């Protein structure tokens, strides 16, 4: 845990956050400023600054994030309509919280012109 990291504090329940999913290694909660009707943050409990800082031993974290993403897409009902998965990497990539997390974004209203 990095004591000045907001997501470490949320993961360790030292800051408020309602988890939609939790296991030994990950938590999922809603983004506080949603960019779409469904906007979840999938967060490993281990403090890793960004994708740039991954080590070989972190492979299971990356695969775990994608498995949980597929599961959460089903649970939130966006799996069939579609969604985006996004890692922002470092400041130029739009990262503002320097604790690795995967955005799951979807649930836009259906618009004319796209078929199921
Ligand atoms: P990033 O730009 O990839 O670092 O994304 C960080 C995300 O964390 C942003 O979309 C913020 O809206 C979100 N965020 C910041 N503080 C909180 C919080 N306390 N609870 C939930 N989401 C947060
Ligand atoms: Zn952290």
């Amino acid at each position: 845990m990095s004591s000045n990291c907001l997501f470490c504090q949320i993961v360790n329940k030292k800051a408020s956050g309602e988890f939609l999913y939790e296991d030994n290694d990950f938590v999922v909660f809603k983004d506080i400023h949603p960019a779409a009707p469904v906007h979840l943050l999938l967060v490993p409990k281990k403090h890793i600054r960004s994708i740039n800082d991954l080590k070989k031993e972190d492979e299971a974290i990356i695969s775990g994030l994608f498995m949980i993403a597929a599961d959460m897409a089903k649970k939130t009902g966006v799996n069939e309509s579609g969604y985006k998965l996004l890692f922002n990497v470092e400041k130029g990539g739009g990262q503002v919280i320097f604790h690795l997390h995967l955005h799951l974004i979807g649930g836009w209203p259906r618009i004319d012109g796209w078929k199921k």
Side-chain angles (χ1 to χ4, degrees):
M1 165 159 180
S2 172
S3 56
N4 57 358
C5 168
L6 175 63
F7 282 5
C8 278
Q9 288 168 9
I10 291 176
V11 159
N12 290 288
K13 303 184 173 81
K14 291 186 166 59
S16 64
E18 190 188 329
F19 299 154
L20 279 68
Y21 174 83
E22 180 175 17
D23 66 21
N24 285 339
D25 301 314
F26 303 96
V27 297
V28 176
F29 50 88
K30 289 184 182 171
D31 195 294
I32 203 167
H33 298 302
V38 174
H39 187 167
L40 305 183
L41 300 174
L42 285 53
V43 183
K45 290 185 175 178
K46 180 179 177 184
H47 181 85
I48 300 168
R49 179 183 166 93
S50 82
I51 286 284
N52 284 342
D53 301 277
L54 287 174
K55 299 195 166 71
K56 185 76 181 157
E57 71 213 35
D58 299 323
E59 265 181 343
I61 289 179
I62 294 304
S63 55
L65 283 173
F66 286 109
M67 299 309 287
I68 293 167
D71 191 42
M72 294 308 300
K74 274 192 206 110
K75 281 191 183 146
T76 54
V78 299
N79 57 314
E80 290 193 0
S81 57
Y83 55 97
K84 295 181 192 295
L85 295 175
L86 176 73
F87 287 105
N88 292 323
V89 183
E90 292 297 336
K91 289 180 186 153
Q95 187 174 7
V96 295
I97 306 273
F98 295 97
H99 178 128
L100 187 72
H101 53 279
L102 179 61
H103 295 254
L104 189 164
I105 307 169
W108 300 276
R110 191 167 174 158
I111 52 168
D112 289 348
W114 64 271
K115 297 191 172 69
K116 200 174 171 188

